[in-house]
Amino acid sequence: MTRFTTIIPTPSDFKRILLILLGAMIYSVNLNSFVYAAGIFPGGFSGISLLVQRSCEKFFDLKIPYTVLYLSLNAAPAIISFLFIGKKFTLFSIFMITLSSVLTDALPQFELTNDPLLCSVFGGIFSGMATTCCLRADATSGGTDFIAIYFSEKRGVDMWNYVFVMNVCVLIVAGFLFGWDKALYSIVFQFSATQVLNRLYLHYQKSTMLIITEKPEELYTIIKQMTNHDATKFVGTGCFKNSEKSLLYTVVSSDELGMLSKALKNCDSGAFINVLQTKEIFGRFFTKTKD
């Protein structure tokens, strides 16, 4: 009985469902407008699905529904995710994958513009927004996102730029089959999506905080309670007033930075906080596991 309690919906899950609904709608509308209008290929399993679908239609005159291809490709990653990442996370992801693929087949295709560059840039922007909605709901749109999250959880680094490189490999195949202009515009699409994602979703990015304060114990308590991260205290002398100061050194996830900084300043308005972008860390770092 206790084995299945972790996948029973809770009141907080309604917010996740709303975010997934929004992400699935943006995802499917984006495919049926910008992506289809320009004939470009998004990265990941959605790009592979479109590549197979268009190849079968072009070379074999065979129309395969997008839903069938996309769900088939995501079957194995979903099983791995269920076993190694999180049960609820995987179930919400399957909900997103199923809903977005069904909506893609159900909604009509339409053109907002047939300019391939505009389609690539704005299609990438909307793709990044759809993926961000899913990730903020502690879910994923499937495919290479499963891979990125798995390695991000294991290694503690942001893997989205590595996923971009993998997606480029898929687009090279598309270039051989459908022309290099489509492949190159698709790379612009994927680059735009990756940049939007890096800006909007900061969970796997790290920030170093250097905090000079006269209330080190109070500020450390706030850091510990809000982030579950530790800190190191250094004691020194402030040269301006020749008074004793403490320096707290800590590393937190970048998405925790805004609320944490506000709480620290509310506790000690005179604190001096310096924030540095952290490229990579080695050692123990607390990461909240997926449910």
Short mmCIF file of all heavy atoms in Angstrom, two decimals, residues 174-198:
data_model
loop_
_atom_site.label_atom_id
_atom_site.label_comp_id
_atom_site.label_asym_id
_atom_site.label_seq_id
_atom_site.Cartn_x
_atom_site.Cartn_y
_atom_site.Cartn_z
N ALA A 174 18.28 15.28 -41.23
CA ALA A 174 17.19 15.95 -41.93
C ALA A 174 17.72 16.76 -43.11
O ALA A 174 17.06 16.86 -44.15
CB ALA A 174 16.42 16.86 -40.97
N GLY A 175 18.91 17.33 -42.97
CA GLY A 175 19.49 18.11 -44.06
C GLY A 175 19.80 17.25 -45.26
O GLY A 175 19.57 17.67 -46.41
N PHE A 176 20.30 16.04 -45.05
CA PHE A 176 20.57 15.12 -46.15
C PHE A 176 19.29 14.74 -46.89
O PHE A 176 19.28 14.59 -48.12
CB PHE A 176 21.27 13.86 -45.64
CG PHE A 176 22.74 14.02 -45.45
CD1 PHE A 176 23.29 14.07 -44.17
CD2 PHE A 176 23.61 14.12 -46.53
CE1 PHE A 176 24.65 14.23 -43.98
CE2 PHE A 176 24.97 14.28 -46.36
CZ PHE A 176 25.49 14.33 -45.08
N LEU A 177 18.18 14.59 -46.16
CA LEU A 177 16.94 14.09 -46.76
C LEU A 177 16.06 15.19 -47.34
O LEU A 177 15.40 14.98 -48.36
CB LEU A 177 16.15 13.30 -45.72
CG LEU A 177 16.79 12.02 -45.19
CD1 LEU A 177 15.92 11.39 -44.10
CD2 LEU A 177 17.03 11.02 -46.32
N PHE A 178 16.04 16.36 -46.69
CA PHE A 178 15.07 17.38 -47.08
C PHE A 178 15.70 18.73 -47.46
O PHE A 178 14.99 19.69 -47.69
CB PHE A 178 14.05 17.60 -45.95
CG PHE A 178 13.18 16.41 -45.68
CD1 PHE A 178 13.54 15.49 -44.72
CD2 PHE A 178 12.02 16.20 -46.41
CE1 PHE A 178 12.75 14.38 -44.47
CE2 PHE A 178 11.22 15.10 -46.17
CZ PHE A 178 11.58 14.18 -45.20
N GLY A 179 17.02 18.80 -47.51
CA GLY A 179 17.66 20.05 -47.91
C GLY A 179 18.29 20.75 -46.72
O GLY A 179 17.75 20.76 -45.62
N TRP A 180 19.45 21.36 -47.00
CA TRP A 180 20.20 21.98 -45.92
C TRP A 180 19.58 23.28 -45.43
O TRP A 180 19.84 23.70 -44.29
CB TRP A 180 21.64 22.21 -46.38
CG TRP A 180 22.37 20.91 -46.51
CD1 TRP A 180 22.75 20.28 -47.66
CD2 TRP A 180 22.80 20.06 -45.45
NE1 TRP A 180 23.38 19.10 -47.39
CE2 TRP A 180 23.44 18.92 -46.04
CE3 TRP A 180 22.73 20.13 -44.05
CZ2 TRP A 180 23.96 17.89 -45.28
CZ3 TRP A 180 23.27 19.10 -43.30
CH2 TRP A 180 23.88 18.00 -43.91
N ASP A 181 18.77 23.91 -46.24
CA ASP A 181 18.11 25.13 -45.76
C ASP A 181 17.16 24.79 -44.61
O ASP A 181 17.10 25.52 -43.61
CB ASP A 181 17.37 25.83 -46.90
CG ASP A 181 16.33 24.95 -47.56
OD1 ASP A 181 16.48 23.71 -47.54
OD2 ASP A 181 15.36 25.50 -48.13
N LYS A 182 16.42 23.67 -44.72
CA LYS A 182 15.52 23.25 -43.65
C LYS A 182 16.32 22.92 -42.38
O LYS A 182 15.93 23.28 -41.27
CB LYS A 182 14.70 22.03 -44.07
CG LYS A 182 13.88 22.22 -45.34
CD LYS A 182 12.81 23.27 -45.16
CE LYS A 182 11.92 23.37 -46.41
NZ LYS A 182 10.93 24.47 -46.29
N ALA A 183 17.43 22.21 -42.57
CA ALA A 183 18.25 21.82 -41.42
C ALA A 183 18.84 23.04 -40.71
O ALA A 183 18.85 23.12 -39.47
CB ALA A 183 19.36 20.88 -41.87
N LEU A 184 19.33 24.00 -41.48
CA LEU A 184 19.95 25.18 -40.88
C LEU A 184 18.93 26.05 -40.16
O LEU A 184 19.19 26.57 -39.07
CB LEU A 184 20.68 25.99 -41.96
CG LEU A 184 21.90 25.30 -42.58
CD1 LEU A 184 22.47 26.13 -43.73
CD2 LEU A 184 22.98 25.04 -41.54
N TYR A 185 17.75 26.20 -40.76
CA TYR A 185 16.68 26.94 -40.08
C TYR A 185 16.25 26.18 -38.82
O TYR A 185 15.88 26.81 -37.81
CB TYR A 185 15.48 27.14 -41.00
CG TYR A 185 15.64 28.30 -41.95
CD1 TYR A 185 15.52 28.13 -43.33
CD2 TYR A 185 15.89 29.59 -41.48
CE1 TYR A 185 15.68 29.19 -44.21
CE2 TYR A 185 16.04 30.66 -42.34
CZ TYR A 185 15.93 30.45 -43.71
OH TYR A 185 16.08 31.51 -44.57
N SER A 186 16.30 24.86 -38.87
CA SER A 186 15.93 24.06 -37.69
C SER A 186 16.94 24.26 -36.56
O SER A 186 16.57 24.25 -35.39
CB SER A 186 15.87 22.57 -38.07
OG SER A 186 14.87 22.34 -39.04
N ILE A 187 18.22 24.44 -36.91
CA ILE A 187 19.22 24.72 -35.89
C ILE A 187 18.96 26.07 -35.24
O ILE A 187 19.11 26.23 -34.02
CB ILE A 187 20.63 24.66 -36.50
CG1 ILE A 187 20.97 23.22 -36.92
CG2 ILE A 187 21.68 25.18 -35.52
CD1 ILE A 187 22.29 23.08 -37.66
N VAL A 188 18.53 27.06 -36.03
CA VAL A 188 18.15 28.37 -35.46
C VAL A 188 16.97 28.19 -34.50
O VAL A 188 16.94 28.77 -33.40
CB VAL A 188 17.78 29.36 -36.59
CG1 VAL A 188 17.23 30.65 -36.01
CG2 VAL A 188 19.00 29.65 -37.46
N PHE A 189 16.00 27.37 -34.91
CA PHE A 189 14.84 27.06 -34.07
C PHE A 189 15.30 26.47 -32.74
O PHE A 189 14.88 26.91 -31.67
CB PHE A 189 13.93 26.06 -34.82
CG PHE A 189 12.78 25.54 -34.01
CD1 PHE A 189 11.51 26.09 -34.14
CD2 PHE A 189 12.94 24.47 -33.13
CE1 PHE A 189 10.44 25.59 -33.40
CE2 PHE A 189 11.89 23.98 -32.39
CZ PHE A 189 10.63 24.53 -32.53
N GLN A 190 16.17 25.46 -32.81
CA GLN A 190 16.61 24.79 -31.60
C GLN A 190 17.46 25.69 -30.72
O GLN A 190 17.38 25.64 -29.49
CB GLN A 190 17.39 23.52 -31.97
CG GLN A 190 17.62 22.57 -30.81
CD GLN A 190 16.31 22.11 -30.20
OE1 GLN A 190 15.36 21.82 -30.91
NE2 GLN A 190 16.25 22.07 -28.88
N PHE A 191 18.28 26.53 -31.34
CA PHE A 191 19.09 27.48 -30.57
C PHE A 191 18.20 28.46 -29.81
O PHE A 191 18.44 28.75 -28.63
CB PHE A 191 20.04 28.23 -31.50
CG PHE A 191 20.91 29.24 -30.80
CD1 PHE A 191 22.04 28.84 -30.10
CD2 PHE A 191 20.59 30.59 -30.83
CE1 PHE A 191 22.84 29.77 -29.45
CE2 PHE A 191 21.38 31.52 -30.18
CZ PHE A 191 22.51 31.11 -29.48
N SER A 192 17.17 28.97 -30.48
CA SER A 192 16.23 29.89 -29.82
C SER A 192 15.54 29.21 -28.65
O SER A 192 15.40 29.80 -27.57
CB SER A 192 15.18 30.39 -30.83
OG SER A 192 15.78 31.07 -31.90
N ALA A 193 15.11 27.97 -28.86
CA ALA A 193 14.43 27.23 -27.79
C ALA A 193 15.36 27.01 -26.59
O ALA A 193 14.95 27.17 -25.44
CB ALA A 193 13.94 25.88 -28.31
N THR A 194 16.62 26.67 -26.86
CA THR A 194 17.58 26.42 -25.79
C THR A 194 17.87 27.68 -24.99
O THR A 194 17.96 27.65 -23.76
CB THR A 194 18.89 25.85 -26.38
OG1 THR A 194 18.61 24.65 -27.09
CG2 THR A 194 19.89 25.57 -25.27
N GLN A 195 18.01 28.83 -25.67
CA GLN A 195 18.28 30.08 -24.97
C GLN A 195 17.11 30.50 -24.09
O GLN A 195 17.30 30.98 -22.96
CB GLN A 195 18.62 31.18 -25.98
CG GLN A 195 19.88 30.91 -26.78
CD GLN A 195 21.06 30.53 -25.92
OE1 GLN A 195 21.44 31.25 -24.99
NE2 GLN A 195 21.66 29.38 -26.20
N VAL A 196 15.88 30.33 -24.60
CA VAL A 196 14.70 30.65 -23.79
C VAL A 196 14.65 29.76 -22.57
O VAL A 196 14.39 30.21 -21.44
CB VAL A 196 13.42 30.50 -24.63
CG1 VAL A 196 12.17 30.59 -23.75
CG2 VAL A 196 13.36 31.56 -25.72
N LEU A 197 14.92 28.48 -22.76
CA LEU A 197 14.91 27.53 -21.64
C LEU A 197 15.96 27.88 -20.60
O LEU A 197 15.71 27.83 -19.39
CB LEU A 197 15.12 26.11 -22.19
CG LEU A 197 14.99 24.96 -21.20
CD1 LEU A 197 13.62 24.95 -20.56
CD2 LEU A 197 15.26 23.64 -21.91
N ASN A 198 17.16 28.25 -21.06
CA ASN A 198 18.23 28.61 -20.12
C ASN A 198 17.90 29.87 -19.33
O ASN A 198 18.36 30.04 -18.19
CB ASN A 198 19.54 28.82 -20.88
CG ASN A 198 20.21 27.52 -21.26
OD1 ASN A 198 20.03 26.51 -20.60
ND2 ASN A 198 20.97 27.53 -22.35
#
